[in-house]
Amino acid sequence: MTKDNKHKKSIEEKEGIPQIGITNNSLISEIQKKRKSHPEVQNLIDGIFKGDITSLSRSITLVESTHKNHLKKANAIIKACLPKANNSIRIGITGVPGVGKSTFIEVFGKYLTSLGKKVAVLAVDPSSSLTKGSILGDKTRMEALVKDKNAFIRPSASGESLGGVARKTRETIILCEAAGFDTIIIETVGVGQSEIAVSSMVDFFLLLKLAGAGDELQGIKRGIIEMADAIVINKADGDNIKRAKLAKVEFDRALHLYPEKESSWQPKVLTCSALHHEGIEDIWDIISEYKNLTVTNNHWTSKRNHQNKYWLIQTIENQLKENFFNSDKIKKELKLQIKLIEEQKTTPFAAAEHLLSL
Amino acid sequence: MTKDNKHKKSIEEKEGIPQIGITNNSLISEIQKKRKSHPEVQNLIDGIFKGDITSLSRSITLVESTHKNHLKKANAIIKACLPKANNSIRIGITGVPGVGKSTFIEVFGKYLTSLGKKVAVLAVDPSSSLTKGSILGDKTRMEALVKDKNAFIRPSASGESLGGVARKTRETIILCEAAGFDTIIIETVGVGQSEIAVSSMVDFFLLLKLAGAGDELQGIKRGIIEMADAIVINKADGDNIKRAKLAKVEFDRALHLYPEKESSWQPKVLTCSALHHEGIEDIWDIISEYKNLTVTNNHWTSKRNHQNKYWLIQTIENQLKENFFNSDKIKKELKLQIKLIEEQKTTPFAAAEHLLSL
């Protein structure tokens, strides 16, 4: 205590009157110990809260790591960020390659920062572990946005599974929100299960299309049109304008065949030309309109709660399966039982019971 | 041994020459003991092997029971039947209510028995526990087929879950095959997940449609058109013929947009009028053509193996989830964790880890 009292204080002290310590020694030493063992963690948290991009980037790297010690640090950072998270609007953007996603996101992002927003652009692309990031890996495609101090672009986490990539992205959202980003854009490629993953982590899901691309059947088949809160027909410029308008009419008609959404939001169809910066404001207006409606009718919160529950259950179920099927004993016996089924000596159901009893 | 030798044999015995026992006493008493403890089971198995319908029906009732003792007997019967199973062709038939499924199956079934086939008609309809069997519950709708001694009709098993109903149906298939039925028709209602379950237990999947019913989008959305090996447009009679032919052209075109199937089978579109017994032979010809192709290219066997593996894994995964989430401890803690997530005090992933560590 004596030592502490010798420190200069910003408020002048009266001599001769003993100062009461602001805290006790044991608490101080505990805090000091904690800082020593996780010096980095507290610095990173402080940095994130101040909106420091380097701290944010380094923390995301910890989240994306497979190193046990890194993950421990990542979890501490996430926990600290949680109370400051959840205050952004999360927008998912999908579309097949060639639809102009990068140009669209750059122009859309620049428009948002011009409105005073802080925009983080993330990506979900499980294939990136193979292709070293097929989307957003090349930041040169969003030159203007990269240079914008109110924008933060992060390529897709790599990982063997979509589940792993999705988890890392969801945790990255928390960090970005705690760093003050109020608009989170999550890009995904228009193939496979990634769209389902992204749609279950965003508030608003936007499907980018081209007029007459002939992939309407694919969109319907994959249920992607059903997920969309807005369909934006891009490249509506030059000779394309007429076709884009026609496509808009067709999509409008198709959307009306679907039952009303739980949000009571009627999905909108718009045209735009990202290249010529046309129609971008309308898209943001639509998204704002969606937010107003769903915040008012409480769908906004209930959707986020629903999404959290979904990820909770998904994570548990995946882990249960992994724990079971990764045991050497089960692996060996599973092979044997499959052989017995093929030889018509047992049924799939009897074999399942046997394996579960091991 | 002496006792045994006193029994009359159909072949005359030479006196004075001691007979060698066909088996030993301990084996005989073991068999007798077994028969005593499961007198019914052995009788039922014998009955099934003889093609006795009463034995088959009673055995299916055991399969469908929820009584533990019944299920034990059912499992013994299934096990005995396995070596005699697997020799039929299994045909799935789906279509929305009103498409004429009952009439079609009756006429199609009668045609098959006229060819000397033995036809079993089963159903998968999980809703039947509520509606007391919305399909096939009313056998009067298939009067002629019910009276046919080479046909066997069994309404859907009832059950709280599709998984349960599907399992019972798969086991019933084994019993029917062991009883000599060489053609198994499995009907399902054209809604929900039942179609996926049925498609994964049959060799050939047939989708019944009406011309201009306007439910094409539904079929595409639910992936049902993708599953179909044949689309049959029913009620192609009277004023409907032109529309049916037009629908055939449209479906043909739509099917060509899908990638080639693993079976290398190009799905066919046909028209028929079950009411007027028209086009029925063509459908059977198509199914026979499918069998020839897939037996030759080995897809037939690999599909059945694949299906068995699917049911094995499905059963295990469902059971793992049930075991986990049905524990009182987990139920209680799950509620708490969901609350903590909503209060932003934890993440879905941290909560999952916590729950799994209990």
Side-chain angles (χ1 to χ4, degrees), chain B residues 114-340:
Chain B
S114 81
L115 297 179
K117 309 218 163 283
K118 289 193 71 183
V119 180
V121 181
L122 313 175
V124 169
D125 178 14
S127 67
S128 66
S129 54
L130 291 169
T131 59
K132 308 283 173 212
S134 67
I135 54 172
L136 284 177
D138 184 8
K139 283 192 187 180
T140 54
R141 292 189 299 159
M142 294 189 196
E143 257 181 62
L145 201 60
V146 167
K147 287 178 198 150
D148 193 321
K149 70 173 177 41
N150 286 315
F152 173 71
I153 302 181
R154 181 86 183 186
S156 178
S158 67
E160 31 347 301
S161 72
L162 173 61
V165 174
R167 171 184 182 149
K168 288 164 188 173
T169 307
R170 281 202 35 116
E171 292 178 337
T172 299
I173 293 173
I174 293 167
L175 305 190
C176 290
E177 289 174 345
F181 289 95
D182 51 33
T183 313
I184 316 281
I185 293 175
I186 301 167
E187 179 189 2
T188 188
V189 280
V191 287
Q193 296 284 305
S194 317
E195 285 163 334
I196 296 169
V198 169
S199 85
S200 62
M201 61 175 82
V202 297
D203 305 306
F204 189 94
F205 200 52
L206 192 155
L207 170 61
L208 273 187
K209 297 286 279 183
L210 290 180
D215 63 342
E216 285 70 20
L217 184 66
Q218 290 298 323
I220 294 169
K221 265 174 66 187
R222 288 181 294 113
I224 178 68
I225 287 179
E226 210 165 358
M227 283 186 239
D229 296 302
I231 297 174
V232 174
I233 300 154
N234 193 22
K235 304 192 183 176
D237 40 43
D239 298 345
N240 245 333
I241 290 183
K242 209 179 152 187
R243 272 204 293 172
K245 280 186 182 163
L246 219 76
K248 178 177 152 37
V249 173
E250 273 171 36
F251 275 118
D252 263 328
R253 197 182 297 145
L255 281 175
H256 277 280
L257 291 174
Y258 289 89
E260 199 193 13
K261 290 197 167 201
E262 221 185 305
S263 56
S264 81
W265 171 255
Q266 174 61 43
K268 303 287 186 289
V269 185
L270 299 103
T271 60
C272 87
S273 166
L275 196 67
H276 296 93
H277 297 219
E278 283 164 9
I280 302 297
E281 294 170 39
D282 294 346
I283 295 166
W284 178 244
D285 287 348
I286 288 287
I287 295 174
S288 305
E289 197 188 306
Y290 174 88
K291 183 169 180 176
N292 286 339
L293 173 78
T294 55
V295 166
T296 307
N297 71 16
N298 211 32
H299 179 76
W300 182 270
T301 307
S302 81
K303 185 176 181 180
R304 286 204 173 179
N305 286 341
H306 188 83
Q307 289 176 338
N308 280 328
K309 223 168 142 180
Y310 168 84
W311 288 104
L312 171 63
I313 302 296
Q314 279 282 308
T315 308
I316 291 174
E317 289 184 356
N318 286 340
Q319 200 57 52
L320 286 173
K321 288 184 223 168
E322 213 176 298
N323 292 348
F324 185 81
F325 288 108
N326 276 350
S327 120
D328 284 335
K329 195 174 158 192
I330 294 296
K331 274 184 191 165
K332 203 177 142 194
E333 192 64 25
L334 185 64
K335 262 189 202 162
L336 188 70
Q337 290 294 320
I338 289 174
K339 198 166 159 276
L340 289 174

Side-chain angles (χ1 to χ4, degrees), chain A residues 84-103:
Chain A
K84 291 190 183 262
N86 220 24
N87 299 317
S88 74
I89 179 161
R90 305 165 183 166
I91 304 165
I93 297 182
T94 188
V96 295
V99 78
K101 275 198 297 297
S102 297
T103 309

Side-chain angles (χ1 to χ4, degrees), chain A residues 75 78-79 82-86 166-167 170-171 174 217-218 220-221 226 254 257-259 305 308-309 311-313 315-317 319-321 323-325 334 337-338 341-342 344-353 355-356, chain B residues 75 78-79 82-86 166-167 170-171 174 217-218 220-221 226 254 257-259 305 308-309 311-313 315-317 319-321 323-325 334 337-338 341-342 344-353 355-356:
Chain A
N75 285 338
I78 293 163
K79 200 163 184 186
L82 271 175
K84 291 190 183 262
N86 220 24
R167 172 186 180 146
R170 280 200 37 114
E171 292 178 338
I174 292 167
L217 184 66
Q218 291 297 324
I220 296 170
K221 266 174 66 189
E226 210 165 356
L257 291 173
Y258 290 89
N305 286 340
N308 280 329
K309 221 167 143 182
W311 288 104
L312 170 64
I313 302 296
T315 307
I316 291 174
E317 288 184 356
Q319 200 58 52
L320 285 174
K321 288 185 224 169
N323 292 348
F324 185 82
F325 288 109
L334 185 65
Q337 290 294 319
I338 288 173
I341 294 170
E342 285 179 6
Q344 287 171 246
K345 286 177 184 157
T346 188
T347 66
F349 306 106
E353 263 165 41
L355 284 162
L356 285 159
Chain B
N75 285 337
I78 293 163
K79 198 163 185 186
L82 270 175
K84 289 188 182 267
N86 221 22
R167 171 184 182 149
R170 281 202 35 116
E171 292 178 337
I174 293 167
L217 184 66
Q218 290 298 323
I220 294 169
K221 265 174 66 187
E226 210 165 358
L257 291 174
Y258 289 89
N305 286 341
N308 280 328
K309 223 168 142 180
W311 288 104
L312 171 63
I313 302 296
T315 308
I316 291 174
E317 289 184 356
Q319 200 57 52
L320 286 173
K321 288 184 223 168
N323 292 348
F324 185 81
F325 288 108
L334 185 64
Q337 290 294 320
I338 289 174
I341 295 170
E342 286 179 7
Q344 286 170 246
K345 285 176 182 156
T346 186
T347 67
F349 306 106
E353 262 165 41
L355 285 162
L356 286 159

Side-chain angles (χ1 to χ4, degrees), chain B residues 5-16:
Chain B
N5 284 346
K6 276 180 192 163
H7 287 165
K8 283 268 177 241
K9 297 272 166 72
S10 55
I11 300 166
E12 210 186 325
E13 292 167 19
K14 287 244 157 64
E15 296 237 344

Side-chain angles (χ1 to χ4, degrees), chain A residues 289-354:
Chain A
E289 197 187 306
Y290 173 87
K291 184 169 180 177
N292 285 340
L293 173 79
T294 55
V295 166
T296 307
N297 70 17
N298 211 32
H299 180 76
W300 182 271
T301 306
S302 81
K303 186 176 180 179
R304 285 204 173 180
N305 286 340
H306 187 83
Q307 289 175 337
N308 280 329
K309 221 167 143 182
Y310 168 84
W311 288 104
L312 170 64
I313 302 296
Q314 279 282 309
T315 307
I316 291 174
E317 288 184 356
N318 286 340
Q319 200 58 52
L320 285 174
K321 288 185 224 169
E322 213 176 297
N323 292 348
F324 185 82
F325 288 109
N326 276 351
S327 121
D328 283 336
K329 195 175 161 193
I330 293 296
K331 273 185 190 163
K332 203 178 145 195
E333 192 63 24
L334 185 65
K335 262 189 199 160
L336 188 70
Q337 290 294 319
I338 288 173
K339 198 166 162 276
L340 289 174
I341 294 170
E342 285 179 6
E343 289 167 355
Q344 287 171 246
K345 286 177 184 157
T346 188
T347 66
F349 306 106
E353 263 165 41
H354 169 71

Side-chain angles (χ1 to χ4, degrees), chain A residues 69-302:
Chain A
N69 195 34
H70 291 171
L71 288 178
K72 215 172 149 188
K73 286 180 185 172
N75 285 338
I77 297 170
I78 293 163
K79 200 163 184 186
C81 286
L82 271 175
K84 291 190 183 262
N86 220 24
N87 299 317
S88 74
I89 179 161
R90 305 165 183 166
I91 304 165
I93 297 182
T94 188
V96 295
V99 78
K101 275 198 297 297
S102 297
T103 309
F104 176 81
I105 291 172
E106 162 139 292
V107 174
F108 186 56
K110 281 299 285 179
Y111 174 70
L112 294 177
T113 57
S114 82
L115 296 180
K117 308 218 162 284
K118 287 193 71 182
V119 180
V121 181
L122 313 175
V124 169
D125 177 14
S127 67
S128 67
S129 56
L130 291 169
T131 60
K132 308 283 175 213
S134 66
I135 52 173
L136 284 176
D138 185 8
K139 283 193 186 179
T140 53
R141 292 190 297 157
M142 295 190 195
E143 257 182 63
L145 202 58
V146 166
K147 286 179 200 149
D148 193 322
K149 71 175 177 41
N150 286 315
F152 173 71
I153 302 181
R154 181 86 185 188
S156 178
S158 67
E160 32 346 303
S161 72
L162 173 60
V165 174
R167 172 186 180 146
K168 289 165 188 172
T169 306
R170 280 200 37 114
E171 292 178 338
T172 299
I173 293 174
I174 292 167
L175 304 190
C176 290
E177 289 173 344
F181 288 95
D182 51 32
T183 313
I184 316 281
I185 293 175
I186 301 168
E187 179 188 2
T188 187
V189 280
V191 286
Q193 296 285 306
S194 318
E195 285 164 335
I196 296 170
V198 169
S199 85
S200 61
M201 62 175 82
V202 297
D203 305 306
F204 190 93
F205 200 51
L206 191 156
L207 170 60
L208 272 187
K209 297 286 279 181
L210 290 179
D215 63 343
E216 285 71 20
L217 184 66
Q218 291 297 324
I220 296 170
K221 266 174 66 189
R222 288 180 295 114
I224 178 70
I225 287 180
E226 210 165 356
M227 283 186 241
D229 296 302
I231 297 174
V232 174
I233 301 155
N234 193 21
K235 303 191 184 176
D237 41 44
D239 297 345
N240 246 334
I241 291 183
K242 209 179 151 188
R243 275 203 293 171
K245 280 185 181 162
L246 220 74
K248 177 177 156 33
V249 173
E250 273 170 36
F251 275 118
D252 262 327
R253 197 184 295 144
L255 281 175
H256 277 279
L257 291 173
Y258 290 89
E260 200 196 11
K261 290 198 166 199
E262 222 185 305
S263 56
S264 80
W265 171 254
Q266 175 60 44
K268 303 285 184 292
V269 185
L270 298 103
T271 60
C272 87
S273 166
L275 196 66
H276 296 94
H277 297 220
E278 283 162 8
I280 301 297
E281 292 170 41
D282 293 346
I283 295 166
W284 178 245
D285 287 348
I286 287 287
I287 295 173
S288 305
E289 197 187 306
Y290 173 87
K291 184 169 180 177
N292 285 340
L293 173 79
T294 55
V295 166
T296 307
N297 70 17
N298 211 32
H299 180 76
W300 182 271
T301 306
S302 81

